[in-house]
């Protein structure tokens, strides 16, 4: 059986949990307390992920695959959640890299700081206003796309939507107001109403 | 002909220039002065990339594809630079997401601040020590992998190597010492000695 090394509060972990559930793939979930450094132990670094992060998908032969979007790609190849067309596949990746570079480090990070009640060090205090502005810019890029398209890529629900849904639907927990983005809100509802959808809190 | 919207100092742009050259694909390059905000003009945002960044690959039909690693994936599908095996493809993506999340925002950003002589605002000053530590951690993850493997994925040179080479080989411009990483240095030499290799300065 597949094993997901995970943390239940993580949107990156949720991407994998959601896709595994939609694909009806049974999996075992191992929970790590990231606040206690459980993904930075010598054993975790040696055996699961040298980069010290969740999620990691462990295959039946023991191979460990880190990075949420790479895990989704692996699971989605050959399924309805990844377009077959070459350009559409690259466009899906384009949105997934956008998510990891321009969206997650801002929106997910502020959510993490607030919901996990981390110490607001001088470094974090200095970074906060920039992350707020850049997170809003990322939401605006999404809104402009969704004002013209029902989904991010190829006319249907795909792993690009899952990648962006994961932290967008909980962005308000990071202090990001979602009301100014009507097309984005409509898309959030479309994603949540997909058959088999599960919430981020479902382990 | 393909058009690459680019900046000659960018490692992300270099990934695309290098792969296009290795694939012997002719392309037209349009240079943008990122320090003058030429990728943030209303026209650029409307027509090239709503996220205001280079590189962007513009196809012959006008379609614009942003994100360096998505561009490489598009170009490499079906070639020797992307493994055919499903797991190896996901592992290539895993390294590419590692690069964009854990490597580039630290190593490339410090190089940019130094070589482009940006103003060291309080936000940047506060972020610098953390980026230094995290950049070194990323190099260490690479070193540990390369101590056991000749290439990042699948036994051969691939777009995962190109993604990581782009900013690693110029990391010293960002104040990162590379001497402590012998396996990484050997890999840098292997990449640079590939037939058809071009330097980052080649437009």
């Amino acid at each position: 059986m597949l094993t997901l090394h995970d943390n239940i509060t993580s949107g990156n972990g949720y991407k994998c949990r959601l896709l595994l559930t939609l694909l009806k793939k049974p999996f075992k979930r191992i929970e790590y307390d990231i606040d206690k450094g459980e993904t930075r132990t010598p054993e975790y670094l040696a055996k699961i992920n040298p980069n010290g992060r969740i999620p990691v998908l462990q295959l039946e032969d023991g191979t460990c695959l880190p990075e949420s979007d790479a895990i989704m790609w692996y699971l989605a190849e050959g399924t309805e959640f990844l377009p077959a067309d070459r350009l559409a596949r690259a466009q899906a990746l384009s949105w997934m890299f956008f998510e990891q570079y321009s969206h997650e480090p801002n929106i997910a990070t502020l959510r993490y700081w607030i919901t996990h009640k981390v110490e607001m060090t001088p470094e974090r205090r200095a970074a906060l206003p920039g992350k707020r502005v850049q997170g809003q810019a990322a939401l605006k890029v999404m809104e402009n796309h969704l004002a013209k398209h029902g989904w991010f890529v190829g006319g249907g629900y795909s792993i690009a939507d899952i990648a962006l849904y994961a932290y967008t639907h909980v962005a308000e927990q990071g202090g990001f107001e979602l009301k100014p983005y009507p097309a984005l809100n409509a898309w959030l509802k479309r994603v949540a109403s997909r058959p088999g959808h599960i919430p981020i809190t479902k382990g």
Side-chain angles (χ1 to χ4, degrees), chain A residues 108-122:
Chain A
T109 298
L110 293 199
R111 170 179 176 261
Y112 179 77
W113 291 355
I114 292 170
T115 59
H116 285 246
K117 299 184 175 66
V118 302
E119 184 197 346
M120 284 308 287
T121 59

Side-chain angles (χ1 to χ4, degrees), chain A residues 3-188:
Chain A
T3 301
L4 186 67
H5 300 271
D6 193 16
N7 172 275
I8 193 67
T9 69
S10 164
N12 287 322
Y14 172 51
K15 294 175 195 173
C16 307
R17 299 194 293 273
L18 174 53
L19 182 60
L20 283 161
T21 303
L22 292 170
L23 290 169
K24 299 187 171 59
K25 281 204 182 283
F27 64 101
K28 178 181 152 195
R29 209 179 66 81
I30 300 180
E31 174 77 9
Y32 294 83
D33 188 332
I34 48 180
D35 298 321
K36 289 188 180 153
E38 287 182 359
T39 65
R40 309 271 173 175
T41 64
E43 193 187 355
Y44 189 90
L45 296 175
K47 293 188 179 166
I48 312 298
N49 182 3
N51 199 30
R53 296 175 190 278
I54 57 90
V56 172
L57 185 69
Q58 188 164 5
L59 308 185
E60 282 165 19
D61 70 357
T63 302
C64 283
L65 183 67
E67 298 292 337
S68 58
D69 296 275
I71 293 169
M72 284 208 295
W73 190 273
Y74 176 78
L75 293 169
E77 283 238 59
T79 78
E80 65 189 289
F81 298 101
L82 183 53
D85 172 71
R86 179 183 168 203
L87 176 60
R89 290 158 68 85
Q91 287 170 326
L93 280 180
S94 184
W95 282 112
M96 290 158 81
F97 280 106
F98 163 82
E99 189 266 335
Q100 283 288 286
Y101 194 89
S102 300
H103 184 293
E104 202 266 17
N106 302 305
I107 294 172
T109 298
L110 293 199
R111 170 179 176 261
Y112 179 77
W113 291 355
I114 292 170
T115 59
H116 285 246
K117 299 184 175 66
V118 302
E119 184 197 346
M120 284 308 287
T121 59
E123 180 183 348
R124 287 182 177 135
R125 272 200 300 274
L128 199 148
K131 286 188 180 292
R132 179 71 63 211
V133 169
Q134 288 169 54
Q136 286 162 340
L139 294 172
K140 185 81 179 124
V141 168
M142 293 174 67
E143 173 70 14
N144 288 346
H145 179 85
L146 292 166
K148 293 180 197 157
H149 307 273
W151 305 100
F152 276 95
V153 175
Y157 181 51
S158 76
I159 53 174
D161 297 286
I162 296 176
L164 283 160
Y165 180 82
Y167 284 109
T168 304
H169 88 291
V170 289
E172 287 175 340
Q173 295 176 8
F176 289 94
E177 208 190 336
L178 293 180
K179 275 186 200 152
Y181 311 110
L184 188 148
N185 277 297
W187 166 81
L188 288 176

